[in-house]
Amino acid sequence: MLSAIAIVPSAPVLVPEVAGAAAELARRDPDAAAAILPTDGRRTVRALEVVELTGRPFAASAPRIGAPRWDTAIVGLDCDTDVLDERLARRTDAMFDRGLLGEVEGLLRAGLRDGVTASRALGYAQVIAAIDAGGGPERIREAREQTYVGTRRYVRRQRSWFRRDHRVQWLDARDAELVDAAVRAWRHVP
């Protein structure tokens, strides 16, 4: 980790006790409640876990953006949105063309639905929904499109998140001298 971060363990026993989690969070940590959408149950429950386990506000466990630890350079690869969208479309097509449907079917037989996180992963969640809706070609085509749209949305959120970090040195992903530029950034050479 480039930033010091307090790792607060999960407390699954708290989750069943939380009815009206958004209201409870608003009562116990109003700043966290204001920053988290009331419909975001996962983040709301996590914030309540942190408050319960640490006795401190949720934000207190967030990493502080300061100088990175060790001798590091934080480099972000930037790419024109249209180019990135095309790459995402090709990647999504490749996932489906190389057997995502069969992979999910096999994982379902092995208990994928029993997991908390994997069944909600981009691609898996959309294919599971398509299978549950009958699994015909039209449903799989819809799953492919939903996977692309969901991945594109996720990438936009990641870009927005990392752009707030003033330590990131953005480099053009298509630059022929990309490796040299990254080394210069690490060595603090303009």
Side-chain angles (χ1 to χ4, degrees):
M1 293 289 222
L2 297 177
S3 301
I5 185 171
I7 304 296
V8 179
S10 184
V13 295
L14 296 176
V15 176
E17 299 174 11
V18 179
E24 178 68 9
L25 183 60
R27 185 181 71 73
R28 297 183 69 184
D29 188 348
D31 291 338
I36 299 171
L37 291 172
T39 56
D40 191 343
R42 186 183 305 174
R43 286 189 64 216
T44 299
V45 168
R46 180 63 183 148
L48 283 169
E49 287 177 339
V50 170
V51 170
E52 179 68 25
L53 293 171
T54 67
R56 298 170 51 207
F58 182 56
S61 67
R64 304 277 185 249
I65 295 180
R69 296 162 57 179
W70 309 295
D71 181 27
T72 57
I74 302 174
V75 175
L77 300 182
D78 202 8
C79 189
D80 179 69
T81 301
D82 292 336
V83 171
L84 187 56
D85 287 348
E86 175 57 34
R87 287 182 180 180
L88 294 173
R90 285 196 318 262
R91 178 179 174 270
T92 301
D93 287 343
M95 286 170 42
F96 277 82
D97 294 346
R98 293 180 183 152
L100 181 61
L101 175 60
E103 178 181 333
V104 171
E105 288 171 334
L107 289 170
L108 286 170
R109 287 188 296 275
L112 178 63
R113 289 184 200 271
D114 300 332
V116 176
T117 304
S119 64
R120 292 188 284 201
L122 281 168
Y124 283 5
Q126 291 76 16
V127 171
I128 291 169
I131 290 169
D132 289 347
E138 181 61 23
R139 296 289 181 240
I140 301 304
R141 188 197 62 69
E142 290 169 0
R144 182 185 295 236
E145 179 63 22
Q146 291 165 357
T147 299
Y148 165 71
V149 169
T151 303
R152 195 175 71 196
R153 188 176 304 124
Y154 183 69
V155 166
R156 301 281 193 280
R157 284 195 311 265
Q158 285 184 323
R159 289 175 98 182
S160 175
W161 172 267
F162 285 109
R163 290 214 190 280
R164 291 189 299 247
D165 189 337
H166 67 277
R167 303 170 302 173
V168 175
Q169 297 178 54
W170 291 98
L171 305 177
D172 184 346
R174 295 179 297 162
D175 184 351
E177 304 295 321
L178 181 60
V179 172
D180 292 335
V183 170
R184 283 193 306 276
W186 173 56
R187 292 189 175 158
H188 312 289
V189 177

PDB file of all heavy atoms in Angstrom, residues 3-32:
ATOM      1  N   SER A   3      -0.267   4.242   0.716  1.00  0.00           N
ATOM      2  CA  SER A   3      -0.744   5.110   1.780  1.00  0.00           C
ATOM      3  C   SER A   3      -0.983   4.262   3.023  1.00  0.00           C
ATOM      4  O   SER A   3      -1.413   3.124   2.926  1.00  0.00           O
ATOM      5  CB  SER A   3      -2.070   5.775   1.388  1.00  0.00           C
ATOM      6  OG  SER A   3      -1.926   6.538   0.219  1.00  0.00           O
ATOM      7  N   ALA A   4      -0.698   4.825   4.175  1.00  0.00           N
ATOM      8  CA  ALA A   4      -0.998   4.118   5.416  1.00  0.00           C
ATOM      9  C   ALA A   4      -2.515   4.017   5.533  1.00  0.00           C
ATOM     10  O   ALA A   4      -3.224   4.983   5.303  1.00  0.00           O
ATOM     11  CB  ALA A   4      -0.417   4.873   6.601  1.00  0.00           C
ATOM     12  N   ILE A   5      -2.999   2.840   5.842  1.00  0.00           N
ATOM     13  CA  ILE A   5      -4.444   2.639   5.923  1.00  0.00           C
ATOM     14  C   ILE A   5      -4.747   1.755   7.119  1.00  0.00           C
ATOM     15  O   ILE A   5      -4.008   0.819   7.403  1.00  0.00           O
ATOM     16  CB  ILE A   5      -4.989   2.014   4.619  1.00  0.00           C
ATOM     17  CG1 ILE A   5      -6.494   1.910   4.648  1.00  0.00           C
ATOM     18  CG2 ILE A   5      -4.363   0.684   4.343  1.00  0.00           C
ATOM     19  CD1 ILE A   5      -7.102   1.511   3.315  1.00  0.00           C
ATOM     20  N   ALA A   6      -5.780   2.100   7.822  1.00  0.00           N
ATOM     21  CA  ALA A   6      -6.210   1.285   8.956  1.00  0.00           C
ATOM     22  C   ALA A   6      -7.149   0.210   8.429  1.00  0.00           C
ATOM     23  O   ALA A   6      -8.167   0.519   7.840  1.00  0.00           O
ATOM     24  CB  ALA A   6      -6.929   2.154   9.981  1.00  0.00           C
ATOM     25  N   ILE A   7      -6.782  -1.036   8.629  1.00  0.00           N
ATOM     26  CA  ILE A   7      -7.618  -2.142   8.178  1.00  0.00           C
ATOM     27  C   ILE A   7      -8.548  -2.520   9.327  1.00  0.00           C
ATOM     28  O   ILE A   7      -8.098  -2.952  10.386  1.00  0.00           O
ATOM     29  CB  ILE A   7      -6.769  -3.358   7.759  1.00  0.00           C
ATOM     30  CG1 ILE A   7      -5.754  -2.981   6.692  1.00  0.00           C
ATOM     31  CG2 ILE A   7      -7.674  -4.502   7.310  1.00  0.00           C
ATOM     32  CD1 ILE A   7      -6.347  -2.537   5.377  1.00  0.00           C
ATOM     33  N   VAL A   8      -9.811  -2.322   9.111  1.00  0.00           N
ATOM     34  CA  VAL A   8     -10.810  -2.674  10.120  1.00  0.00           C
ATOM     35  C   VAL A   8     -11.479  -3.953   9.651  1.00  0.00           C
ATOM     36  O   VAL A   8     -12.007  -4.010   8.547  1.00  0.00           O
ATOM     37  CB  VAL A   8     -11.852  -1.540  10.285  1.00  0.00           C
ATOM     38  CG1 VAL A   8     -12.888  -1.929  11.321  1.00  0.00           C
ATOM     39  CG2 VAL A   8     -11.161  -0.243  10.669  1.00  0.00           C
ATOM     40  N   PRO A   9     -11.438  -5.006  10.478  1.00  0.00           N
ATOM     41  CA  PRO A   9     -12.044  -6.271  10.052  1.00  0.00           C
ATOM     42  C   PRO A   9     -13.550  -6.143   9.893  1.00  0.00           C
ATOM     43  O   PRO A   9     -14.170  -5.230  10.419  1.00  0.00           O
ATOM     44  CB  PRO A   9     -11.689  -7.235  11.185  1.00  0.00           C
ATOM     45  CG  PRO A   9     -11.464  -6.363  12.374  1.00  0.00           C
ATOM     46  CD  PRO A   9     -10.934  -5.050  11.844  1.00  0.00           C
ATOM     47  N   SER A  10     -14.106  -7.080   9.159  1.00  0.00           N
ATOM     48  CA  SER A  10     -15.554  -7.130   8.992  1.00  0.00           C
ATOM     49  C   SER A  10     -16.165  -7.772  10.227  1.00  0.00           C
ATOM     50  O   SER A  10     -15.520  -8.544  10.919  1.00  0.00           O
ATOM     51  CB  SER A  10     -15.896  -7.954   7.754  1.00  0.00           C
ATOM     52  OG  SER A  10     -17.267  -7.929   7.527  1.00  0.00           O
ATOM     53  N   ALA A  11     -17.400  -7.429  10.486  1.00  0.00           N
ATOM     54  CA  ALA A  11     -18.102  -8.009  11.627  1.00  0.00           C
ATOM     55  C   ALA A  11     -19.458  -8.504  11.155  1.00  0.00           C
ATOM     56  O   ALA A  11     -20.471  -7.852  11.351  1.00  0.00           O
ATOM     57  CB  ALA A  11     -18.264  -6.976  12.729  1.00  0.00           C
ATOM     58  N   PRO A  12     -19.496  -9.680  10.493  1.00  0.00           N
ATOM     59  CA  PRO A  12     -20.745 -10.164   9.921  1.00  0.00           C
ATOM     60  C   PRO A  12     -21.876 -10.300  10.928  1.00  0.00           C
ATOM     61  O   PRO A  12     -23.034 -10.201  10.562  1.00  0.00           O
ATOM     62  CB  PRO A  12     -20.384 -11.520   9.334  1.00  0.00           C
ATOM     63  CG  PRO A  12     -18.940 -11.716   9.521  1.00  0.00           C
ATOM     64  CD  PRO A  12     -18.391 -10.571  10.299  1.00  0.00           C
ATOM     65  N   VAL A  13     -21.562 -10.481  12.199  1.00  0.00           N
ATOM     66  CA  VAL A  13     -22.621 -10.612  13.186  1.00  0.00           C
ATOM     67  C   VAL A  13     -23.405  -9.320  13.343  1.00  0.00           C
ATOM     68  O   VAL A  13     -24.538  -9.319  13.801  1.00  0.00           O
ATOM     69  CB  VAL A  13     -22.076 -11.056  14.566  1.00  0.00           C
ATOM     70  CG1 VAL A  13     -21.493 -12.438  14.485  1.00  0.00           C
ATOM     71  CG2 VAL A  13     -21.073 -10.063  15.101  1.00  0.00           C
ATOM     72  N   LEU A  14     -22.814  -8.188  12.948  1.00  0.00           N
ATOM     73  CA  LEU A  14     -23.521  -6.916  13.047  1.00  0.00           C
ATOM     74  C   LEU A  14     -24.580  -6.769  11.964  1.00  0.00           C
ATOM     75  O   LEU A  14     -25.585  -6.110  12.163  1.00  0.00           O
ATOM     76  CB  LEU A  14     -22.537  -5.749  12.924  1.00  0.00           C
ATOM     77  CG  LEU A  14     -21.483  -5.620  14.017  1.00  0.00           C
ATOM     78  CD1 LEU A  14     -20.538  -4.478  13.683  1.00  0.00           C
ATOM     79  CD2 LEU A  14     -22.136  -5.400  15.356  1.00  0.00           C
ATOM     80  N   VAL A  15     -24.344  -7.357  10.826  1.00  0.00           N
ATOM     81  CA  VAL A  15     -25.223  -7.147   9.678  1.00  0.00           C
ATOM     82  C   VAL A  15     -26.671  -7.531   9.945  1.00  0.00           C
ATOM     83  O   VAL A  15     -27.562  -6.731   9.699  1.00  0.00           O
ATOM     84  CB  VAL A  15     -24.658  -7.862   8.430  1.00  0.00           C
ATOM     85  CG1 VAL A  15     -25.602  -7.723   7.268  1.00  0.00           C
ATOM     86  CG2 VAL A  15     -23.293  -7.309   8.089  1.00  0.00           C
ATOM     87  N   PRO A  16     -26.948  -8.740  10.481  1.00  0.00           N
ATOM     88  CA  PRO A  16     -28.347  -9.089  10.689  1.00  0.00           C
ATOM     89  C   PRO A  16     -29.059  -8.173  11.691  1.00  0.00           C
ATOM     90  O   PRO A  16     -30.264  -8.047  11.668  1.00  0.00           O
ATOM     91  CB  PRO A  16     -28.293 -10.519  11.230  1.00  0.00           C
ATOM     92  CG  PRO A  16     -26.942 -11.021  10.889  1.00  0.00           C
ATOM     93  CD  PRO A  16     -26.053  -9.826  10.800  1.00  0.00           C
ATOM     94  N   GLU A  17     -28.291  -7.544  12.606  1.00  0.00           N
ATOM     95  CA  GLU A  17     -28.892  -6.689  13.609  1.00  0.00           C
ATOM     96  C   GLU A  17     -29.287  -5.327  13.055  1.00  0.00           C
ATOM     97  O   GLU A  17     -29.967  -4.562  13.718  1.00  0.00           O
ATOM     98  CB  GLU A  17     -27.904  -6.491  14.762  1.00  0.00           C
ATOM     99  CG  GLU A  17     -27.531  -7.777  15.463  1.00  0.00           C
ATOM    100  CD  GLU A  17     -26.439  -7.540  16.494  1.00  0.00           C
ATOM    101  OE1 GLU A  17     -26.138  -6.382  16.799  1.00  0.00           O
ATOM    102  OE2 GLU A  17     -25.897  -8.535  16.972  1.00  0.00           O
ATOM    103  N   VAL A  18     -28.833  -5.003  11.863  1.00  0.00           N
ATOM    104  CA  VAL A  18     -29.038  -3.660  11.335  1.00  0.00           C
ATOM    105  C   VAL A  18     -30.281  -3.631  10.458  1.00  0.00           C
ATOM    106  O   VAL A  18     -30.283  -4.087   9.333  1.00  0.00           O
ATOM    107  CB  VAL A  18     -27.805  -3.177  10.533  1.00  0.00           C
ATOM    108  CG1 VAL A  18     -28.045  -1.798   9.985  1.00  0.00           C
ATOM    109  CG2 VAL A  18     -26.585  -3.199  11.415  1.00  0.00           C
ATOM    110  N   ALA A  19     -31.348  -3.112  11.026  1.00  0.00           N
ATOM    111  CA  ALA A  19     -32.564  -2.857  10.257  1.00  0.00           C
ATOM    112  C   ALA A  19     -32.646  -1.348  10.130  1.00  0.00           C
ATOM    113  O   ALA A  19     -32.457  -0.624  11.099  1.00  0.00           O
ATOM    114  CB  ALA A  19     -33.778  -3.413  10.991  1.00  0.00           C
ATOM    115  N   GLY A  20     -32.913  -0.872   8.951  1.00  0.00           N
ATOM    116  CA  GLY A  20     -32.894   0.577   8.754  1.00  0.00           C
ATOM    117  C   GLY A  20     -31.472   1.099   8.865  1.00  0.00           C
ATOM    118  O   GLY A  20     -31.195   2.068   9.579  1.00  0.00           O
ATOM    119  N   ALA A  21     -30.544   0.421   8.168  1.00  0.00           N
ATOM    120  CA  ALA A  21     -29.121   0.732   8.294  1.00  0.00           C
ATOM    121  C   ALA A  21     -28.809   2.192   7.977  1.00  0.00           C
ATOM    122  O   ALA A  21     -28.002   2.820   8.654  1.00  0.00           O
ATOM    123  CB  ALA A  21     -28.303  -0.198   7.398  1.00  0.00           C
ATOM    124  N   ALA A  22     -29.451   2.752   6.959  1.00  0.00           N
ATOM    125  CA  ALA A  22     -29.163   4.144   6.589  1.00  0.00           C
ATOM    126  C   ALA A  22     -29.548   5.089   7.724  1.00  0.00           C
ATOM    127  O   ALA A  22     -28.805   6.025   8.044  1.00  0.00           O
ATOM    128  CB  ALA A  22     -29.885   4.514   5.301  1.00  0.00           C
ATOM    129  N   ALA A  23     -30.677   4.840   8.365  1.00  0.00           N
ATOM    130  CA  ALA A  23     -31.111   5.686   9.485  1.00  0.00           C
ATOM    131  C   ALA A  23     -30.164   5.530  10.668  1.00  0.00           C
ATOM    132  O   ALA A  23     -29.825   6.515  11.341  1.00  0.00           O
ATOM    133  CB  ALA A  23     -32.539   5.337   9.886  1.00  0.00           C
ATOM    134  N   GLU A  24     -29.723   4.298  10.913  1.00  0.00           N
ATOM    135  CA  GLU A  24     -28.787   4.056  12.016  1.00  0.00           C
ATOM    136  C   GLU A  24     -27.458   4.754  11.758  1.00  0.00           C
ATOM    137  O   GLU A  24     -26.874   5.357  12.658  1.00  0.00           O
ATOM    138  CB  GLU A  24     -28.580   2.547  12.196  1.00  0.00           C
ATOM    139  CG  GLU A  24     -27.599   2.172  13.274  1.00  0.00           C
ATOM    140  CD  GLU A  24     -28.084   2.490  14.687  1.00  0.00           C
ATOM    141  OE1 GLU A  24     -29.271   2.849  14.873  1.00  0.00           O
ATOM    142  OE2 GLU A  24     -27.259   2.412  15.614  1.00  0.00           O
ATOM    143  N   LEU A  25     -26.991   4.694  10.522  1.00  0.00           N
ATOM    144  CA  LEU A  25     -25.743   5.366  10.186  1.00  0.00           C
ATOM    145  C   LEU A  25     -25.894   6.878  10.341  1.00  0.00           C
ATOM    146  O   LEU A  25     -24.990   7.552  10.858  1.00  0.00           O
ATOM    147  CB  LEU A  25     -25.293   5.015   8.763  1.00  0.00           C
ATOM    148  CG  LEU A  25     -23.953   5.610   8.337  1.00  0.00           C
ATOM    149  CD1 LEU A  25     -22.822   5.140   9.257  1.00  0.00           C
ATOM    150  CD2 LEU A  25     -23.656   5.242   6.889  1.00  0.00           C
ATOM    151  N   ALA A  26     -27.028   7.422   9.933  1.00  0.00           N
ATOM    152  CA  ALA A  26     -27.270   8.866  10.075  1.00  0.00           C
ATOM    153  C   ALA A  26     -27.223   9.276  11.541  1.00  0.00           C
ATOM    154  O   ALA A  26     -26.737  10.359  11.881  1.00  0.00           O
ATOM    155  CB  ALA A  26     -28.603   9.238   9.454  1.00  0.00           C
ATOM    156  N   ARG A  27     -27.705   8.409  12.406  1.00  0.00           N
ATOM    157  CA  ARG A  27     -27.690   8.702  13.848  1.00  0.00           C
ATOM    158  C   ARG A  27     -26.275   8.618  14.417  1.00  0.00           C
ATOM    159  O   ARG A  27     -25.854   9.471  15.185  1.00  0.00           O
ATOM    160  CB  ARG A  27     -28.608   7.717  14.574  1.00  0.00           C
ATOM    161  CG  ARG A  27     -28.770   8.003  16.055  1.00  0.00           C
ATOM    162  CD  ARG A  27     -29.689   6.981  16.746  1.00  0.00           C
ATOM    163  NE  ARG A  27     -29.082   5.660  16.883  1.00  0.00           N
ATOM    164  CZ  ARG A  27     -28.106   5.357  17.746  1.00  0.00           C
ATOM    165  NH1 ARG A  27     -27.609   6.277  18.527  1.00  0.00           N
ATOM    166  NH2 ARG A  27     -27.641   4.128  17.805  1.00  0.00           N
ATOM    167  N   ARG A  28     -25.509   7.614  13.996  1.00  0.00           N
ATOM    168  CA  ARG A  28     -24.199   7.354  14.604  1.00  0.00           C
ATOM    169  C   ARG A  28     -23.046   8.070  13.923  1.00  0.00           C
ATOM    170  O   ARG A  28     -22.029   8.352  14.564  1.00  0.00           O
ATOM    171  CB  ARG A  28     -23.939   5.850  14.622  1.00  0.00           C
ATOM    172  CG  ARG A  28     -24.971   5.137  15.505  1.00  0.00           C
ATOM    173  CD  ARG A  28     -24.734   3.687  15.607  1.00  0.00           C
ATOM    174  NE  ARG A  28     -23.524   3.421  16.372  1.00  0.00           N
ATOM    175  CZ  ARG A  28     -23.035   2.205  16.551  1.00  0.00           C
ATOM    176  NH1 ARG A  28     -23.641   1.174  16.032  1.00  0.00           N
ATOM    177  NH2 ARG A  28     -21.938   2.037  17.252  1.00  0.00           N
ATOM    178  N   ASP A  29     -23.172   8.325  12.623  1.00  0.00           N
ATOM    179  CA  ASP A  29     -22.093   8.994  11.886  1.00  0.00           C
ATOM    180  C   ASP A  29     -22.723   9.805  10.757  1.00  0.00           C
ATOM    181  O   ASP A  29     -22.746   9.378   9.600  1.00  0.00           O
ATOM    182  CB  ASP A  29     -21.112   7.952  11.339  1.00  0.00           C
ATOM    183  CG  ASP A  29     -19.860   8.565  10.720  1.00  0.00           C
ATOM    184  OD1 ASP A  29     -19.828   9.792  10.509  1.00  0.00           O
ATOM    185  OD2 ASP A  29     -18.917   7.809  10.440  1.00  0.00           O
ATOM    186  N   PRO A  30     -23.249  10.992  11.075  1.00  0.00           N
ATOM    187  CA  PRO A  30     -23.962  11.795  10.080  1.00  0.00           C
ATOM    188  C   PRO A  30     -23.124  12.133   8.843  1.00  0.00           C
ATOM    189  O   PRO A  30     -23.655  12.174   7.736  1.00  0.00           O
ATOM    190  CB  PRO A  30     -24.341  13.075  10.841  1.00  0.00           C
ATOM    191  CG  PRO A  30     -24.233  12.731  12.282  1.00  0.00           C
ATOM    192  CD  PRO A  30     -23.243  11.619  12.393  1.00  0.00           C
ATOM    193  N   ASP A  31     -21.813  12.345   9.023  1.00  0.00           N
ATOM    194  CA  ASP A  31     -20.972  12.671   7.865  1.00  0.00           C
ATOM    195  C   ASP A  31     -20.902  11.503   6.892  1.00  0.00           C
ATOM    196  O   ASP A  31     -20.987  11.680   5.681  1.00  0.00           O
ATOM    197  CB  ASP A  31     -19.563  13.067   8.318  1.00  0.00           C
ATOM    198  CG  ASP A  31     -19.546  14.406   9.049  1.00  0.00           C
ATOM    199  OD1 ASP A  31     -20.494  15.204   8.853  1.00  0.00           O
ATOM    200  OD2 ASP A  31     -18.600  14.644   9.816  1.00  0.00           O
ATOM    201  N   ALA A  32     -20.742  10.296   7.420  1.00  0.00           N
ATOM    202  CA  ALA A  32     -20.704   9.110   6.555  1.00  0.00           C
ATOM    203  C   ALA A  32     -22.050   8.920   5.874  1.00  0.00           C
ATOM    204  O   ALA A  32     -22.110   8.614   4.679  1.00  0.00           O
ATOM    205  CB  ALA A  32     -20.328   7.867   7.353  1.00  0.00           C
TER     206      ALA A  32
END
